[in-house]
Amino acid sequence: MPGAAATVVPGLTTTIQVPENADVLISTHGGVQTVSMSTTGVSRVDVMIVINGALVPNGGYRRVIAANTGGSTSTIAYWSFGVAESLPAGTYTIEVKAAWQSGNNANVSGSSTSVLQGALTATVVKR
């Protein structure tokens, strides 16, 4: 269970139309950076794929741990995962959400000028 409420990662939302006899392949990647300036600082962030407000079960959730070690600070950790979903025909809103779990605050994803920049891809595949 997340330590804080999940919020949509800016820019990682899409709405798709699923026809009959189709599956949806959803993938996401991006970065989490701890804001801790301590060499022992750590941030734990939950990243999840959500369809129409519901967490995708069976693989739609990851815990990302950005831990400063060996004298480094502001460490970055990356997520990359995906799921395949069989959904009935209809319109679906897919989001990537993040929730602080524990440790120090963190930056999640970023703009096109950031190495943290995340992405969300939803591909509809006819059966």
Side-chain angles (χ1 to χ4, degrees):
M1 182 60 76
T7 59
V8 176
V9 177
L12 301 189
T13 300
T14 190
T15 299
I16 60 170
Q17 182 67 41
V18 177
E20 290 191 29
N21 299 315
D23 294 321
V24 181
L25 306 175
I26 304 166
S27 64
T28 182
H29 66 268
V32 172
Q33 182 177 34
T34 183
V35 298
S36 174
M37 297 308 289
S38 165
T39 57
T40 59
V42 63
S43 299
R44 293 172 199 85
V45 176
D46 294 339
V47 178
M48 58 210 80
I49 297 172
V50 174
I51 300 176
N52 289 350
L55 175 66
V56 173
N58 302 320
Y61 170 99
R62 296 290 184 275
R63 178 155 296 150
V64 181
I65 301 172
N68 295 337
T69 60
S72 68
T73 61
S74 302
T75 298
I76 297 171
Y78 292 96
W79 79 83
S80 180
F81 63 100
V83 295
E85 292 293 309
S86 293
L87 301 170
T91 302
Y92 296 89
T93 299
I94 302 169
E95 302 168 311
V96 175
K97 291 188 173 185
W100 173 83
Q101 177 60 35
S102 63
N104 300 99
N105 289 334
N107 295 316
V108 178
S109 194
S111 70
S112 62
T113 62
S114 171
V115 297
L116 303 176
Q117 183 182 21
L120 168 64
T121 303
T123 305
V124 177
V125 180
K126 293 280 281 178
R127 282 187 240 137

